[in-house]
Amino acid sequence: MYEPLSEFDAGSPAPSSSPPAGQASGSWLQQTREELALRPRLVVREPVPVTVLAVQRYLGESSGYCYDVTLWDGAEQDTWLLAPELCPLVHGNLLRCGRSVTIRRCSYRYLEKRLAAGLVCVDELEPGQEQGSPGELPLRAPAGPLSGDRKHYLPLWNNEDPYGDIWRRGGPGQEPSVDVTKVCSLLKLEMTGLSKITLPPLIVRVMHKSRLRYFGKAEKKTDYPYQAYFEVADHSGMMSLVLWNSLCPEWYNTLQVGNVVLLQQYAVKKSYVCRTHPTSGNAQVKRLPSLEICLNPRDPPPKIIILSESKVKPEWNLPAVKYQFVTRSEFGDLPHNTICDVIGLVIYVGRCERLRRRDDWEDFWIYRWVQMIDGTSEQPFLLEIFATSQPDIFEHIIPMSYLVCTQMRVIREHPGDISYKAYLTTTNESQVFITGHHKGRPYVTNEKVKSYIKWMKNQNEVEIEKKTSVGGYQPYPPTPSTFAKYCNDRKTEEILNTIGELKTIVQHMHYREHKRVAVQGIIAACAFVRNVSQAKMVCIHCLCMRNLPIRHANE
């Protein structure tokens, strides 16, 4: 079955709860908490299985991540801290929402920075059977992480997605009358911005939007360490606008490509030269590279007002958002690293996989492979879609959806090798949209989008649906045909692993982590079996000179 990313989501968070004063409690969680008030460390003599309602992650005070676990015993629910030694249970998805656990040992910790406050820490537990989520049980968000000074939780499996109720999605606010005579152009701002103390208002259109960047570190105490950048433009040019810290939860989901925004009380500084930039579809818009607009929660606190299209006047000459859509028949002629936009009908959706950002980090990218058709070629588009800070869309890409992907990069690394198909991958500025999310988007008036819609109206969707598929493992790019190609000019000692090392590698892998390793050895035995799935497993063990994709055992 197709399992969207929400299949391994943390679930809805829940707070500590207790019965009214003077009322007897039949809650095992409540009784255990009361016992811990008398004995800070407790070995549970008669443990009772409890159900996990939520597992929530946040950055720890020293190193790594901490996890709060919300439990339910049939009478009450409570949120306890998971001891660091038990974090591998979350890494392997053995401890997850809807599963029963038996707590063997726990302790009580006082919080020195909070008055009369403490928390229960789970020191030893045993995962049980899958219980499912209690249907009508009301869950309310806790005030925040139990341990430390962090203000918010992170998504369970990556850091780039918005997570929790702090991420607002608002509409246009109250629109004041705009005195156009006081509005400054971006070109004039670039020439005089650094020399002014008070900066004039700006009226700009959002042309591009990046995914979120989380820069939290254990030694840093920033409440909301997020950054996102937008490309905004007026009649004089296009400039980067950077959203910082707590303004990201407040405005990231609200500001959309195509919005017209009135900006007041902002700051400017010299541009960050290492930042990536989108490829604009509007060739008439000049990039202004020397300065960027900075929106911080303070110094000064900005005023951001989204203007409705009915208030936008033609004399402002704001540029339109334009795209670079290509069809599948045109895609074959595009060179490596070209940026383009595509639209099509999804016919295949691969499972979500995770790629470690650095070998010694707990941070991961989440991505999936998707195929779609547009009627211009017998061959489908092959898309590598990384999470774009749009979890409500990324988690629900399914066959027969109309999929739009913007700012995609062409990957054509081995044009002479027919085993390597060219594909498209997301960039920092990519956005994806599926059926139900297209209304009002600037691309709906694009001629190639209209042509695709016209083609779809003449198709037999029932027949197309029979050819769709979901899930499974798509090992792409494929294994090189020779070991020399796999080495790719690297020293063999750096990429070969022993059989003993292979076991350690697998043990340290996280849930749905993808990793390729190479081992060498002598084939000692080969068994032939009739079962197809077992035969595949025998091949994996025997062909040890090949590059083998390793997946987590808990899948």
Side-chain angles (χ1 to χ4, degrees), residues 230-347:
F230 302 76
E231 297 295 324
V232 298
D234 65 5
H235 67 278
S236 66
M238 183 166 64
M239 186 179 289
S240 295
L241 179 151
V242 186
L243 208 61
W244 288 95
N245 302 334
S246 62
L247 290 181
C248 287
E250 184 177 356
W251 284 100
Y252 182 79
N253 283 336
T254 300
L255 291 174
Q256 300 294 330
V257 172
N259 286 159
V260 176
V261 183
L262 171 63
L263 297 175
Q264 297 171 288
Q265 296 182 197
Y266 55 91
V268 295
K269 69 174 185 178
K270 291 185 177 180
S271 293
Y272 179 61
V273 295
C274 295
R275 179 180 298 120
T276 62
H277 293 283
T279 300
S280 177
N282 194 333
Q284 297 177 347
V285 179
K286 176 185 176 182
R287 181 178 296 281
L288 305 173
S290 61
L291 294 183
E292 63 186 27
I293 302 166
C294 296
L295 300 182
N296 290 287
R298 56 183 182 273
D299 303 326
K303 291 183 179 180
I304 308 171
I305 300 172
I306 298 177
L307 304 177
S308 61
E309 283 296 327
S310 62
K311 299 291 185 180
V312 178
K313 298 180 180 181
E315 55 264 30
W316 294 350
N317 292 321
L318 295 178
V321 179
K322 295 185 179 181
Y323 294 88
Q324 305 172 92
F325 278 96
V326 298
T327 63
R328 182 59 182 86
S329 60
E330 298 169 335
F331 172 69
D333 298 326
L334 297 181
H336 181 61
N337 277 337
T338 301
I339 300 296
C340 62
D341 311 306
V342 290
I343 183 173
L345 181 71
V346 176
I347 59 171

Side-chain angles (χ1 to χ4, degrees), residues 139-178:
L139 300 176
R140 299 171 300 276
L146 295 181
S147 178
D149 296 326
R150 304 299 173 186
K151 302 295 184 181
H152 67 99
Y153 289 108
L154 295 166
L156 194 56
W157 304 110
N158 74 341
N159 289 341
E160 283 69 40
D161 287 340
Y163 175 78
D165 295 336
I166 63 169
W167 294 87
R168 307 173 188 174
R169 186 186 295 274
Q174 185 177 1
E175 300 180 12
S177 58
V178 181

Side-chain angles (χ1 to χ4, degrees), residues 345 373-375 451-459 464:
L345 181 71
I373 57 176
D374 67 357
S451 297
Y452 164 77
I453 299 299
K454 184 178 179 180
W455 171 75
M456 276 303 305
K457 289 180 178 179
N458 298 322
Q459 301 306 305
I464 296 178

Side-chain angles (χ1 to χ4, degrees), residues 178-227:
V178 181
D179 186 354
V180 182
T181 60
K182 295 183 179 180
V183 173
C184 176
S185 71
L186 291 178
L187 180 59
K188 185 177 180 180
L189 178 68
E190 185 182 49
M191 294 186 295
T192 62
L194 292 178
S195 62
K196 291 188 176 183
I197 299 176
T198 302
L199 297 172
L202 300 172
I203 295 180
V204 293
R205 187 185 297 278
V206 179
M207 308 294 284
H208 300 280
K209 178 180 179 178
S210 77
R211 65 172 165 234
L212 282 169
R213 173 178 169 258
Y214 178 77
F215 58 90
K217 295 183 179 179
E219 63 274 14
K220 301 289 185 179
K221 300 302 180 182
T222 307
D223 289 342
Y224 299 97
Y226 287 98
Q227 179 204 62

Side-chain angles (χ1 to χ4, degrees), residues 513-524:
E513 180 180 0
H514 178 275
K515 189 169 186 174
R516 286 187 168 181
V517 298
V519 296
Q520 67 174 338
I522 300 173
I523 299 177

Side-chain angles (χ1 to χ4, degrees), residues 347 462-469:
I347 59 171
V462 175
E463 291 300 317
I464 296 178
E465 189 172 4
K466 293 178 181 178
K467 302 176 183 179
T468 62
S469 57

